[in-house]
Amino acid sequence: MSLIRRVSLLMALVVVLALVAGVLTTLIAARDTLQTQLGVKNRDNAQALALALSQQRGDPALMELVLAAQFDTGHYRSITLSGGDGQAPFRREAEPSATVAPAWFTRALPLRAEAGVAQVSDGWRPIGRLELVSQSAYASDALWRAGTRAAELLLLVGLAGAVLAAWGLRAVRRPLDAAARQAQALQEGRFVTVPLPEVAELQPLARSMNTMVERVSTMFDSQARQVDALSQQVHTDGLTGLLNRRHFMLEAQRRFESSAGDAQALLLLRVGDLEGLNRRCGHAAVDALLRELAQALRGQIAPHERPLLGRLNGSDFAVVLARADAKPLATELVRVLRELAQKLDAQASLAAGVADSAQAVGLPAAIAVADQALAQAEAQGACAVVQRQCAPGALLGERDWQRQLSEALLEGRSSLAEYPVRDARGALLHLDCPLRVQLQRDGVFEPASNWLALATRSRLTTALDSRAIALALQAIDRDGIARCVNLATASLQATEFVAGISAQLQAAPQAARRLWIDIPESLAAAQPAVIQEVSRHWRGLGARIGLEHAGAALPGMARLTELGLDYVRIDARHLAGIGNDAALLRHAEGLLTLLRGIGLGVYAEGVTQLEDLPVLWALGFDGATGPAVPAR
């Protein structure tokens, strides 16, 4: 029971007891007063009647006549006249008069007034003793009316007091509720401060909580900056700030896998005779030149080209562009870079090799084609550019992709792959279940990298992702094993999709509690409000929500603590080779500290090297998936 409810019940009990005590006190005091008044009346009436009897000179007939007439008025309960010998020559008794007051009331508060007693005499000769008791019904009715009026008045006073007490409790409850919400937010990893309450006793609590929240928030921001710095060290070339070879290759591979027919070109640029430049101009001057070249690359390529820039080694730069024909741009780049280089040394030279349609053959083949083009360019002389086309193979047109996806959906030609996610002891935590689609009847089930981009352009992601959720819930109902599905950014941005998935989760509440849902990190970084809305709907229905392919944007997410997440999956490019790379290890430690600090589970995805697993377990990862994780 809450503190406010306890205080409310206590106050209600006190008010009720006060009301009851007030009414009882009023009734008892009124009863005592009425009893006293009845006793006085009995005595006065007895004296007056005795005087009237004394005037009858002891005539029994006359006295009986007077007594009978007085009794017949109905005001008396009993009249008794007894002689000197103790006999009662006259005695009359009547039933108690009917009362307006309830019987239980008269029984609970009876009126017992003293009887009126007087001596009857004839001159100096005593005749007898007169005892008189009046009817008390009217007094009981008066006591009842007084009690009801007192109860009504006290009830009004009690209601007014209850209203005042409720107002006072609400004033006290506001800061208590604010403190409770603040503590809940802190438990959820959100840093919320509250204004100081007006209640003096609660001000130290609010002040202390605000101070603690500010300190934790500052610590979190500091950790985020440290992780961001470590990320820069791990992923970028220390001299130029471009992506280093390892990270460039991983990002380029992802770019090619997700393009699904989008134009992509790969450029390799080489500074000729870098060792000779170092000898002639000095390492410091050449380092400055390389930084200028990197800055020029950034400035010369328009953002709509979606450039991916990297430094592969001392003299080689690589660029991935979202365009079909990259030779004109490569020629302009070589011209600009040559002008910069020849300011330092007139003998400086550059060459470029261009591989167009690079996504058609994949990254390794595209690099091989670009390498061949670069070798030809160097053979042609200083500042040459050579372009070569990659053999695309049999590529479908966009309409063919859309038709095949639509038909596959209508005919139910889709399934979930199953990849185990295990903890350090090898126990199965859940199954990662990416959607596979059979584009051609009797063909293979294609992974999302082959059709996701076309599905996004065709606005089919919502139907595909809804199908994935339905398949996962059915599989969980069948065997009880938890499963995880990943959803596309385009689907999550559709309000009707979120509502549709909520309906599916409501229809299968048991399975929903064992469903994990992966959301792209890029969406969380760009549109955190979307993730908050999704988490609010789906977590309340039992599903667990997390980020996939995470790591690059985590340190910079200002609202990471407010997204309502349960876990984060660290992308393979941040973990591959961690057992032999100290910088990667420090970066992973920073990420773990950051995420553990806000209570999130941390999982490794795409682990390919067995020697990396012991390092991940030693760091404290909750689970891992990938080729290196045992299937059984």
Side-chain angles (χ1 to χ4, degrees), residues 66 97 325 359 462:
V66 171
S97 300
D325 183 8
Q359 86 289 346
T462 55

Side-chain angles (χ1 to χ4, degrees), residues 180-308:
R181 289 193 297 270
Q182 187 180 34
Q184 181 65 28
L186 190 60
Q187 183 180 354
E188 296 173 355
R190 295 183 288 111
F191 307 127
V192 179
T193 57
V194 298
L196 292 180
E198 296 179 357
V199 182
E201 290 80 1
L202 296 178
Q203 288 180 359
L205 172 63
R207 192 178 293 110
S208 299
M209 287 290 291
N210 284 342
T211 301
M212 181 180 65
V213 166
E214 290 171 358
R215 288 177 179 174
V216 173
S217 178
T218 301
M219 181 180 66
F220 177 82
D221 292 340
S222 176
Q223 289 177 347
R225 287 191 295 271
Q226 292 175 7
V227 172
D228 192 30
L230 288 171
S231 178
Q232 292 296 322
Q233 294 175 12
V234 170
H235 299 145
T236 61
D237 174 61
L239 178 63
T240 63
L242 302 180
L243 296 180
N244 57 28
R245 180 184 180 87
R246 175 183 171 278
H247 197 61
F248 175 84
M249 299 295 282
L250 289 169
E251 289 292 341
Q253 183 67 36
R254 289 189 61 191
R255 175 81 69 88
F256 285 6
E257 288 177 353
S258 61
S259 64
D262 291 340
Q264 299 286 340
L266 174 65
L267 280 66
L268 294 182
L269 297 101
R270 178 170 295 165
V271 179
D273 192 20
L274 188 62
E275 293 183 3
L277 277 176
N278 279 319
R279 288 194 303 268
R280 293 191 300 271
C281 305
H283 285 282
V286 174
D287 287 348
L289 172 63
L290 292 174
R291 284 193 291 269
E292 290 180 9
L293 295 179
Q295 187 62 35
L297 280 175
R298 294 191 187 95
Q300 290 295 317
I301 304 176
H304 70 268
E305 304 277 7
R306 295 173 54 223
L308 185 65

Side-chain angles (χ1 to χ4, degrees), residues 265 267 321 323-334 352 354 356 380 384-388:
L267 280 66
L321 297 171
R323 62 185 299 167
D325 183 8
K327 186 175 181 180
L329 178 59
T331 302
E332 179 64 17
L333 287 175
V334 168
V354 181
D356 283 329
Q380 291 178 10
V385 176
V386 174
Q387 177 187 38
R388 297 190 66 173

Side-chain angles (χ1 to χ4, degrees), residues 333-493:
L333 287 175
V334 168
R335 184 189 65 79
V336 173
L337 298 182
R338 179 190 180 189
E339 291 177 358
L340 288 173
Q342 289 186 344
K343 290 179 182 179
L344 177 66
D345 189 310
Q347 302 178 36
S349 64
L350 287 98
V354 181
D356 283 329
S357 302
Q359 86 289 346
V361 296
L363 180 61
I367 289 178
V369 172
D371 266 334
Q372 293 173 8
L374 180 60
Q376 291 179 7
E378 287 184 307
Q380 291 178 10
C383 302
V385 176
V386 174
Q387 177 187 38
R388 297 190 66 173
Q389 291 289 329
C390 298
L395 295 177
L396 291 174
E398 182 172 342
R399 290 185 178 179
D400 293 327
W401 281 95
Q402 183 175 356
R403 177 183 54 78
Q404 290 188 358
L405 282 171
S406 300
E407 289 177 354
L409 276 172
L410 289 173
E411 297 173 9
R413 289 187 277 113
S414 57
S415 65
L416 296 178
E418 295 184 347
Y419 301 105
V421 179
R422 300 188 182 275
D423 62 14
R425 298 186 303 274
L428 179 65
L429 301 176
H430 60 269
L431 295 173
D432 269 349
C433 299
L435 185 66
R436 299 287 187 260
V437 177
Q438 189 184 45
L439 297 174
Q440 297 180 356
R441 295 181 183 88
D442 301 324
V444 298
F445 284 82
E446 303 282 351
S449 59
N450 291 350
W451 45 259
L452 180 57
L454 267 298
T456 301
R457 287 205 295 268
S458 303
R459 299 182 180 179
L460 293 174
T461 58
T462 55
L464 290 164
D465 286 339
S466 295
R467 177 61 178 165
I469 293 289
L471 290 173
L473 293 174
Q474 292 170 11
I476 294 171
D477 274 334
R478 185 170 58 250
D479 57 26
I481 299 175
R483 282 171 170 79
C484 178
V485 296
N486 57 323
L487 303 181
T489 297
S491 299
L492 293 163
Q493 293 172 326

